[in-house]
């Protein structure tokens, strides 16, 4: 792998890392805004105490469900990324093994030749 390719890979990893960080911040902001907006809307609305409590419970469950969906989605994305990384590493390992085999073969030929010469001399 050339130096330029390594630099490009590092740059791409940093871009992805920054993008994921921005997505996490945006998601947290949206979730916080939803919670604050829901609470403010429920408390400002002219309803009785029981109705307000029921609304708070309902909205809380909705937010909880939305958070659980986001968590499941994130788990799926992490698993998918993990699988891609494993696949990439396995591929790299196979490539490395193939390169080592090519490098070892000439050494084995030399050793076999030396053994054959020793057997003919004896």
């Amino acid at each position: 792998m050339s130096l330029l390719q390594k630099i490009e890979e590092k740059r791409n990893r940093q871009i992805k890392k920054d993008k994921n960080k921005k997505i996490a911040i945006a998601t947290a902001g949206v979730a916080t805004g939803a919670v604050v907006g829901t609470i403010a809307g429920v408390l400002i609305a002219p309803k009785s105490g029981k109705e307000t409590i029921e609304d708070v419970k309902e909205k809380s469950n909705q937010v909880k469900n939305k958070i659980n969906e986001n968590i499941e989605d994130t788990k799926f994305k992490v698993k998918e990324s993990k699988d891609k990384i494993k696949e990439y590493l396995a591929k790299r390992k196979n490539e490395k093994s193939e390169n080592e085999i090519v490098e070892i073969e000439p050494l084995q030929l030399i050793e076999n030749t030396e053994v054959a010469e020793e057997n003919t001399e004896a």
Side-chain angles (χ1 to χ4, degrees):
M1 178 178 283
S2 73
L3 181 60
L4 290 176
Q5 288 173 332
K6 288 183 181 182
I7 291 171
E8 188 65 28
E9 280 184 17
K10 186 173 182 179
R11 183 179 300 140
N12 288 339
R13 282 193 304 264
Q14 186 63 38
I15 290 170
K16 285 181 182 180
K17 183 179 176 183
D18 292 343
K19 185 178 178 182
N20 289 339
K21 187 175 181 180
K22 289 177 183 178
I23 289 171
I25 290 170
T27 302
V30 168
T32 302
V35 169
V36 170
T38 300
I39 291 172
V42 168
L43 295 177
I44 293 173
K47 296 182 180 180
S48 70
K50 287 184 179 183
E51 290 176 352
T52 302
I53 290 171
E54 288 299 318
D55 285 348
V56 168
K57 286 180 183 179
E58 183 180 321
K59 295 293 182 180
S60 297
N61 286 331
Q62 289 175 356
V63 169
K64 182 178 91 173
N65 291 337
K66 184 68 175 174
I67 290 172
N68 287 335
E69 287 175 15
N70 288 339
I71 289 171
E72 291 302 317
D73 186 45
T74 302
K75 284 181 183 179
F76 175 76
K77 288 179 182 178
V78 168
K79 184 183 181 307
E80 193 174 65
S81 296
K82 183 179 171 182
D83 292 342
K84 286 181 181 179
I85 290 169
K86 283 182 180 180
E87 181 180 307
Y88 172 78
L89 292 176
K91 180 181 173 186
R92 292 289 302 211
K93 185 177 180 181
N94 288 338
E95 288 175 0
K96 185 177 179 183
S97 296
E98 289 173 4
N99 289 339
E100 287 176 356
I101 290 171
V102 171
E103 292 173 5
I104 291 173
E105 286 178 3
L107 293 176
Q108 289 176 340
L109 288 174
I110 293 171
E111 290 173 359
N112 291 341
T113 306
E114 290 173 356
V115 169
E117 288 175 359
E118 290 174 5
N119 289 340
T120 56
E121 290 174 4

